[in-house]
Amino acid sequence: MSSSSVSDEILKFATQYSLYTGCIMFSFGVIGNVLNLLVFTQLKLFRTNRCAFYITVESISNFIYQLLSITLTILTAIYGDDATGRFLIWCKLSGFLPVVIASLFSILAYHNVRHIVRRQLPIVRRKLDKQITAMVLMRVIAFVCLSSPYNAYRIYSINFPTSRSMPMAYAIIRLIQAILLSIFITNYTINFYIFILFSSRFRRQVKLVLVKKCWERWKYWCCRINNQIEPVNSETRNSQMESEENV
C-alpha cells in the first residue's frame, strides 16, 4: 500500500472520528447541561449561592459553545480547516482563556473555603458551601487536564504549520487534531457528570428534582388534563421538599 493511500485512509478516519465524537459529545452535553439547569434553578438551596449561580451561567454558555464547536467540527471534517487557525489573536485567546477561567474558579473555591472556616454559618449553609467547593475544585482539575493538550497543539500548529505537500505528515496532524479537539470539547459536556460522580449529595438532589419536582409536576398536569385532580396540601408538600433539599 502506497503512502498516499495510507494518508488518505488516515484522513478518512479522522473525518469520521470528528463527526461521530462531535455528535456524541453534543448529545451528552445537552442532556448534562439541561439537568444542571434543572437542579440549580429548581432547588431554593442553590438560589442564594454565588458559585451555584456561576455554574448555572456556565451551563447556559456551554449550550452556545457546543453549537459553535459542533459547527467547527463539521467544517474541520469536511474542509480540513476550521478557519480559526488563520487568526493569531484567536489562537492566543484559546490558549490564555482556559488559564483565566480555571484561576477564577480556583479563587472562588478558595474564597468559599476561607468563609467556611472563618464564619459561623448554619449547618445547612456549611454543608452547601462544602459541597459547592468540592464540585468546583473537581471541575477546575478536569478543565485544566482536558484543555491543556488541545491548546498546546493549537499554539504549536500556528507556529509550525504542516503543509499539504507532505500528505503523510498532514494526515497524522489532522488525526491528532481530531482526537485532541474531541478531548477539549468534553470540557463543555461533563460538568453534570463530574458533579454526580463525586458528590453523593448532588446525586440526592438530582433525584429529588427529577422524582419529586419534575415527575410530580408532570403527573399533576396529566391529571389536570384528565380532570382527575387529587386534593393536595401544597404547604405540607413544599415544606417537605425544602427539608429534603437540605439533607
Side-chain angles (χ1 to χ4, degrees):
M1 185 179 291
S2 64
S3 60
S4 177
S5 59
V6 172
S7 62
D8 289 340
E9 288 297 322
I10 294 175
L11 287 173
K12 182 179 179 181
F13 175 78
T15 300
Q16 294 176 343
Y17 177 87
S18 296
L19 288 173
Y20 292 145
T21 56
C23 293
I24 292 172
M25 293 298 176
F26 182 78
S27 301
F28 276 98
V30 169
I31 295 172
N33 286 313
V34 166
L35 291 175
N36 257 355
L37 290 173
L38 281 176
V39 174
F40 287 107
T41 57
Q42 292 295 315
L43 296 182
K44 294 181 180 179
L45 188 66
F46 290 119
R47 294 177 186 173
T48 57
N49 186 278
R50 290 184 180 180
C51 282
F53 172 74
Y54 297 145
I55 294 173
T56 303
V57 173
E58 185 189 14
S59 296
I60 296 173
S61 66
N62 283 346
F63 279 114
I64 300 174
Y65 181 85
Q66 283 184 295
L67 291 174
L68 176 62
S69 66
I70 194 67
T71 302
L72 294 179
T73 299
I74 294 173
L75 288 175
T76 303
I78 296 175
Y79 299 107
D81 184 11
D82 59 12
T84 59
R86 302 192 185 106
F87 302 97
L88 185 60
I89 295 178
W90 173 267
C91 180
K92 290 182 177 179
L93 286 176
S94 65
F96 180 68
L97 282 179
V99 178
V100 174
I101 295 173
S103 300
L104 176 62
F105 274 99
S106 298
I107 292 172
L108 289 173
Y110 178 71
H111 180 72
N112 261 2
V113 171
R114 290 180 65 87
H115 271 268
I116 292 171
V117 174
R118 290 184 175 183
R119 295 175 59 187
Q120 297 296 325
L121 298 173
I123 295 178
V124 173
R125 176 65 185 277
R126 188 180 292 268
K127 285 183 179 180
L128 177 63
D129 282 349
K130 287 182 178 180
Q131 175 192 359
I132 293 292
T133 299
M135 289 164 58
V136 168
L137 286 176
M138 293 307 302
R139 173 68 182 108
V140 170
I141 293 172
F143 191 91
V144 172
C145 293
L146 295 173
S147 298
S148 298
Y150 181 72
N151 287 308
Y153 159 78
R154 293 297 291 170
I155 295 173
Y156 174 84
S157 64
I158 291 296
N159 292 289
F160 305 98
T162 303
S163 174
R164 289 176 179 265
S165 61
M166 299 182 292
M168 181 60 71
Y170 179 77
I172 293 174
I173 287 295
R174 279 288 313 282
L175 179 59
I176 293 174
Q177 175 186 350
I179 295 172
L180 294 181
L181 181 60
S182 67
I183 295 173
F184 179 79
I185 293 175
T186 305
N187 241 318
Y188 301 90
T189 66
I190 62 170
N191 274 11
F192 172 78
Y193 307 104
I194 289 177
F195 298 157
I196 204 170
L197 179 63
F198 290 99
S199 175
S200 59
R201 193 165 187 246
F202 186 75
R203 289 195 292 270
R204 293 194 297 270
Q205 290 163 342
V206 172
K207 182 179 179 181
L208 174 64
V209 169
L210 294 180
V211 176
K212 294 295 181 68
K213 288 182 176 286
C214 296
W215 174 249
E216 292 294 333
R217 192 172 298 171
W218 184 80
K219 285 200 306 181
Y220 171 79
W221 282 106
C222 288
C223 292
R224 186 176 181 181
I225 292 174
N226 296 326
N227 295 322
Q228 297 177 354
I229 301 178
E230 298 179 359
V232 177
N233 190 330
S234 59
E235 293 184 0
T236 304
R237 183 169 173 269
N238 290 335
S239 61
Q240 181 182 359
M241 283 191 178
E242 289 183 6
S243 63
E244 290 180 2
E245 288 181 20
N246 298 328
V247 175

